[in-house]
């Protein structure tokens, strides 16, 4: 499966993964922003528990509120309310779910040696645990900004997604 990701780089001339890549693509956690936005944040977080324990993360209490009549999906984590869908957020649900998920995971990693970074976006969204040094190395390794690990933030228009001059928004 991860061979497909590696082949993606090989098929795009000029986008080969650097020989000194500071992480292994086999360590990627496949997420898919659509799945997160469709009442999938708690399930994805629970599936991440083994890795979170490995990095000494504090466990975050998460609750999902779904109101099918109102068409809303909200996540509550550590006293923070994350509206994902509804309340005028329908168009941005994938982005809001991505931001919420990475914010929640990284809140638990606040005192840990690693952070959880996004790679790509949308249906290709993945995450990876990196130390500060690995993150810095990864920023220098990739020619195209859109191939670099990033931190989702609630700041339009790109929400933290790395931008090359010609790169489209996620």
């Amino acid at each position: 499966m991860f061979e497909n990701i590696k082949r993606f780089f090989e098929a795009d001339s000029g986008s080969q993964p650097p020989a000194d890549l500071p992480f292994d693509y086999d360590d990627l956690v496949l997420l898919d922003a659509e799945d997160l936005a469709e009442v999938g944040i708690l399930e994805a977080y629970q599936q991440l528990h083994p890795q979170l324990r490995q990095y000494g993360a504090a466990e975050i209490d998460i609750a999902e509120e779904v109101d099918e009549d109102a068409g809303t999906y909200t996540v509550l984590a550590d006293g923070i309310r994350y509206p994902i869908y509804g309340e005028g957020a329908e168009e941005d649900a994938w982005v809001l779910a991505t931001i919420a998920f990475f914010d929640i995971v990284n809140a638990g990693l606040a005192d840990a040696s690693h952070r959880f970074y996004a790679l790509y976006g949308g249906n290709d969204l993945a995450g990876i645990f990196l130390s500060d040094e690995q993150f810095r190395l990864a920023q220098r390794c990739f020619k195209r900004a859109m191939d670099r690990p990033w931190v989702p933030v609630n700041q339009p228009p790109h929400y933290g997604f790395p931008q090359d001059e010609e790169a489209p928004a996620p």
Side-chain angles (χ1 to χ4, degrees), residues 109-122:
L109 292 166
D111 296 326
S113 63
H114 287 65
R115 297 289 173 266
F116 194 56
Y117 294 94
L119 284 167
Y120 319 113

Side-chain angles (χ1 to χ4, degrees), residues 27-32 36 41 44-52 55 57 97-110 112-119 125-132 134-135 139 148-153:
D27 294 334
L28 289 182
V29 177
L30 301 179
L31 295 168
D32 188 334
L36 293 175
I41 290 177
Y45 182 77
Q46 290 170 335
Q47 290 176 356
L48 206 57
H49 272 197
Q51 288 112 322
L52 290 170
Y55 293 108
T98 299
I99 293 165
F101 186 73
F102 281 84
D103 192 52
I104 292 165
V105 171
N106 282 314
L109 292 166
S113 63
H114 287 65
R115 297 289 173 266
F116 194 56
Y117 294 94
L119 284 167
L125 179 66
I128 190 159
F129 292 93
L130 299 173
S131 67
D132 291 340
Q134 288 173 307
F135 176 73
Q139 297 307 301
R148 297 176 190 141
W150 60 288
V151 178
V153 293

